[in-house]
Amino acid sequence: MKRKNVKKLLLNCITLIVFFSFLYSVPVNAIDYKKEAEARKSMEIESNSYHNWPLGPAIGAEAAILMDANTGAILYEKNIHAKLYPASITKLLSTYIAVQECELDEMVTFSEEAVQSIHWWEDANMGVYAGSKLTVEEVLYGILVGSANEAAYAIAEHISGNLEDFSVLMNKTAKELGCNNSNFITPNGIHDDNHYTTAYDMALIAKAFFSNETLTKMSATTRFDVPVTEDQPREGIILTAKSQLHPGKTYAYSSLIGTKTGYTDQSRQTLVSCAEKNGLKLICVILKEEMPAQYTDTIELFDYGFDNFEAVYLNEVDNQYSIDNHFFTTELDLLGSSKTILTLNPNDYIVLPHTLTVENLTSGVSYDDKNETSVATINYYYQKHLLGKINVELATNEQVIFDFGNQNNNLVNIVKKDSGNTIFINVIHLLISFILIVVFFTIIFSIQSLARNRTMSKRRKNKLRKHIMNGNHWDIHKY
C-alpha cells in the first residue's frame, strides 16, 4: 500500500514538473508570426503602381524582388530597399568572394576557432574536426549544400586571415556590385544586429553569383558526400540541401537552376533562388517570411515573371530604331553602300511585359559602361525603370578589302553578317563629300573676292571723278 502511494506521489510530481515546464516555456506575449505574415500581404507592391504593368501577387514576405539576371530589370518589387536580416543567404556573397580569390584545389585548414565558433546542436555544420583540411571546392559544397557555418568561417580565415578583415572584403565587394544599403559582419549570416541587407542588394549579389557556372552548379546540388582523406579522417559526413524547391522535394520547381535558404529567429525565413525558362533567367529574393510560404512566394513570383514577360531582341522587332538625339538610325547608310563599323550586340535584349511594346519605351545613350569592344550603351526605360541595355560595339570581325584596280568596286568587298542594327560609313563617298565641301567654300570665297574687287574699283573711279571736277592736278599713275 505504501509502495502504491509512493508511485502515485512520484507520478503526480512528474506531471506537475512537465506542466510547469511547458507553462514557463511559452512566453506570455508570444508573437504570432503567421498572423504577421498574413497582415504583410496588404503591404504596398510598388511595381503594381506602374501604369499598364502586369499586377504581381500579394505575398506575406516583408520584402521581395524579381529581377532578370542578365539585364538587371526589376519585374516585381515590394519594399526592396528595407534593411532586414539575411541569415544564411549571406553565404552567397562569401562563396562568390571565394571563387574570385581562390583556386578550387587550394587546401583550407579548419582552425579550432572555426570549429568552435558555432552551436553544434543548433547551427548547420559539416562536422569536421579542428585541423582537418579540405579543398576550397569541398568547402564551398559544404557551405552551399549543407549551409555549414564553420565552413564559411574557415573560408573567411583562409582568404583574409580573420573575420574582421573578411568583413571588410565582403562590404567592399558588395559595394562594387552596387549594394548601397547593406552591412556584412559575419561570413555565414549568424545573427548580428549590425549585419543586414536589402532585397535589392541581395538580388545584385545573386546576379553575380548565378553568373558563375561553378557556384550555380553547387547551389543546385542536393547531396554532397565529404570524402575521407588523410587530412579529413571523419567518415560518413553527408550533406543534404534544405531547400524544398529542389527536384523531388515538396515544392520542386522544374525551371530552378539554383537556390539558397536562410533562417534565424530574427530574420525568419529567407530565400534566394534562380530559374531559367523561355529565354529569361530570373532571380527571386524573399526576406522575412514564414515556413513554408518562402517557397510558395517564390513559385508565385517565378510564374508571374515567366507568364507576363519576355526577352525582346531589338534587331528582330525594332527595324527603324533611332536614339532620341538622332545619333544614329537602324540600317541607315549615311553615305551610300558602305562598310559596317558599329553594330548593336545581337545577344543583348530587353525584358518587356506583354502589356507593352517597344514604342512605349524611352532610351538614352551612356558612355560609362564601355569595354574593349563596346563604345556606348543604349539604355531602355519604361517610366524611368530600366528594362535592359544594348551595347554598341565595334564590328571588328569583318575584313576590309579594297581593289584599286577594280573600277566597279564602290568601296570594299565584304561578307555582311546578320548583326541586326548597324551604322555605316562609306569612305569613298566621304572623301567625295569632303572635296565637294572644299569646292563649295572655294566658290564662295571667289565670289566674295570678286565682289570686293568690284567695290574697290568703283571707289577709285569716284575718287578720280572728284579730282577732275575740282580742277586738281593729278598723277594718273596714282590711280
Side-chain angles (χ1 to χ4, degrees), residues 101-144:
E101 299 289 331
C102 309
E103 298 295 331
L104 292 178
D105 58 356
E106 288 181 27
M107 299 303 294
V108 178
T109 302
F110 281 67
S111 68
E112 184 71 27
E113 289 78 9
V115 171
Q116 299 301 327
S117 66
I118 62 172
H119 298 94
W120 283 95
W121 297 108
E122 298 177 10
D123 298 332
N125 61 81
M126 292 183 74
V128 298
Y129 302 128
S132 296
K133 295 180 180 180
L134 281 74
T135 65
V136 167
E137 183 178 21
E138 291 164 348
V139 173
L140 293 182
Y141 270 111
I143 297 170
L144 293 172

Side-chain angles (χ1 to χ4, degrees), residues 184-323:
F184 296 99
I185 303 296
T186 67
N188 45 32
I190 289 178
H191 182 72
D192 185 294
D193 285 347
N194 293 316
H195 184 100
Y196 55 82
T197 189
T198 68
Y200 177 73
D201 285 0
M202 277 309 308
L204 295 178
I205 292 168
K207 186 173 180 286
F209 178 95
F210 287 111
S211 69
N212 184 284
E213 291 184 7
T214 298
L215 294 176
T216 301
K217 176 186 174 183
M218 290 177 175
S219 70
T221 302
T222 57
R223 170 176 168 148
F224 180 71
D225 294 32
V226 181
V228 177
T229 65
E230 183 178 337
D231 294 319
Q232 197 296 106
R234 185 172 178 182
E235 298 180 353
I237 301 179
I238 300 173
L239 305 174
T240 56
K242 296 178 174 62
S243 178
Q244 296 298 306
L245 293 175
H246 286 299
K249 299 295 183 73
T250 305
Y251 298 97
Y253 195 75
S254 60
S255 301
L256 186 78
I257 65 171
T259 181
K260 182 70 192 78
T261 60
Y263 175 83
T264 66
D265 289 341
Q266 296 84 1
S267 72
R268 310 310 296 166
Q269 300 292 341
T270 63
L271 184 64
V272 176
S273 308
C274 187
E276 198 163 19
K277 181 181 177 182
N278 300 334
L280 289 176
K281 183 180 178 183
L282 303 183
I283 291 167
C284 181
V285 178
I286 300 293
L287 296 181
K288 197 172 184 180
E289 182 57 291
E290 296 304 313
M291 179 71 80
Q294 74 270 32
Y295 301 118
T296 57
D297 288 356
T298 297
I299 291 171
E300 280 191 79
L301 289 180
F302 276 147
D303 287 345
Y304 162 79
F306 291 127
D307 291 345
N308 292 283
F309 297 83
E310 62 180 327
V312 175
Y313 294 85
L314 292 180
N315 58 335
E316 297 176 359
V317 300
D318 194 11
N319 294 324
Q320 293 300 320
Y321 167 78
S322 61
I323 208 77

